[in-house]
Amino acid sequence: MMERVAVLSDVHAVAPALEAVLNEPDVVAADRVVFTGDLLPGPLPRRTLDLVAELGDRAVWLRGNGERDTLRLRGPEPPQAKTPLIQWCADQVTEADLAVLAALPPVVTLEVTGLGAVLFCHATPRDDEELVLVDSDDDRWREVLAGVAPAESVVVCGHTHMPFLRLVDGRVVLNPGSVGMPFGPSGAHWALLGPGVQLRRTLVDAHAAQGAVERGSDFPGIGAWIEPYLTGGISDAGAKRRMRSRQDDRARGC
């Protein structure tokens, strides 16, 4: 039984934001630090992987679509990369890294004090790219949670980069938001579990982070990447509109 669990999602290799969260006293004291996928891709993959490795057995890392894409791009028949950054990031990882990525589970359940069985996943328990939002209707939520065991009274997901907390038929659903690429309020978003559920935000000096990323990353398009994702900010309203459109396209098989 874990007394305290820190949950970090969608770091996207923004190492300065990850370092800021890992230095939070409640994260330092946590029994486990769960990464719910998409530690990659991003601008500082090597530093990010090192930071997670330094946590040792305290780190619990799940596979997100970012890790899955990285494996596919380094596979025997790589598909066309979705973006230049994803391809560049995939080229930075070592064979040892690939072995770690290949072994990552898509879901994990941990017993947490005060909460019981907590299921952790990336997007939804059944699909690492499925889009479901805080204001998705109850029927949609029931659909994506249909396979979750009744004893798992808390479900933690990520993927949409927006923090929220809601109920679905008495089950708590939590999204900690994104550490490295938040949509909505600036800062590195995360969550603390046990004995309750808390959404947290760590303030990050955007200009200092920009300097660290520029000095540490040789991705050719780093300047264009920084403005929207690190210093400019992306509104939650705009992000939700785009995600609803993608959800509709997926439902139509587009």
Side-chain angles (χ1 to χ4, degrees), residues 68-190:
R68 180 167 52 80
D69 285 344
T70 300
L71 286 166
R72 293 175 65 202
L73 288 169
R74 288 289 296 273
E77 297 182 7
Q80 183 177 357
K82 296 177 182 178
T83 69
L85 179 60
I86 293 175
Q87 182 63 68
W88 174 85
C89 188
D91 291 340
Q92 309 308 303
V93 300
T94 66
E95 291 298 321
D97 296 329
L98 292 174
V100 172
L101 296 182
L104 294 176
V107 297
V108 164
T109 298
L110 299 176
E111 293 284 336
V112 182
T113 299
L115 300 174
V118 179
L119 184 148
F120 300 85
C121 61
H122 181 57
T124 71
R126 65 183 188 178
D127 187 325
D128 65 15
E129 281 191 303
E130 192 167 32
L131 291 168
V132 61
L133 304 170
V134 63
D135 54 357
S136 296
D137 63 36
D138 288 346
D139 287 342
R140 171 68 174 158
W141 275 106
R142 291 186 186 109
E143 176 191 351
V144 302
L145 298 178
V148 178
E152 293 168 331
S153 59
V154 180
V155 173
V156 180
C157 54
H159 189 53
T160 62
H161 295 214
M162 291 177 281
F164 68 76
L165 183 64
R166 66 161 288 168
L167 288 173
V168 179
D169 296 333
R171 176 181 278 126
V172 173
V173 180
L174 164 74
N175 188 320
S178 173
V179 170
M181 295 170 59
F183 296 164
S186 63
H189 296 256
W190 55 286

Side-chain angles (χ1 to χ4, degrees), residues 6 14 18-20 31 34 49 60 65 79 103 146-147 150 163 193 198-199 206 208 212 219 246 253:
V14 182
L18 175 58
E19 288 181 278
D31 297 295
V34 178
L49 293 170
V60 178
N65 59 295
L193 307 183
Q198 302 175 44
L199 290 172
F219 171 58
R246 286 167 55 195

